[in-house]
Amino acid sequence: MITATNPSYRLVSDHIFAVVRQNIDNNQKAFFAQQRYEPGQVVAEFSAGKTLSRPTYLTVQVGIDKHIMLQPEHLQYINHSCDPNVFFDTYTMQVVALKPIAEGDEMTFFYPSTEWDMVQPFKCFCGTSRCLGEIKGAAHINPQVLRSYTLTRFIQQQLHDRSSKEKRA
Ligand SMILES: [Zn+2]
């Protein structure tokens, strides 16, 4: 299905508050808001479909050797951006808006906000002024840069633990 407003996308699934669309040129799926959100507003609740001890490219990290498959599954189509507009809060298990989101905007989140050390690093082409280039997980980002992002409690704890280890060394 091709819509007039997004000629290069076809609709994959409709979730009322958002839709999943597939880019016809590169087959990548993406998640688009169907309503407005204000910063801090809860976009969706999620739960752990399955908890894995090793990450995959679809899992979200909630602890050391704890990686969840997202439920509902369609949330896995929220892609990475270095200038994200949503955050996966793995403590409250909510997707929260970080900035105003307009109807039709793609929802994106910052993978290193949940992932400490990614198994499948990738080159980011988000094209935003904040783009960090290669995305490998929070462990590989300058802590000062990282702290400009909203991070899960797990990532904050990892940062804290690493810096206390460095101080002791
Ligand atoms: Zn980027």
Side-chain angles (χ1 to χ4, degrees), residues 80-83 124-128 130-133 135:
H80 165 88
S81 168
C82 301
D83 193 5
C124 182
F125 297 101
C126 71
T128 68
R130 302 181 77 181
C131 188
L132 299 175
I135 302 300

Side-chain angles (χ1 to χ4, degrees), residues 57-77:
Y57 72 104
L58 289 179
T59 55
V60 170
Q61 186 163 22
V62 297
I64 293 168
D65 299 334
K66 272 182 93 175
H67 307 266
I68 64 167
M69 296 291 291
L70 289 171
Q71 200 60 254
E73 279 176 26
H74 53 250
L75 296 177
Q76 75 194 27
Y77 299 117

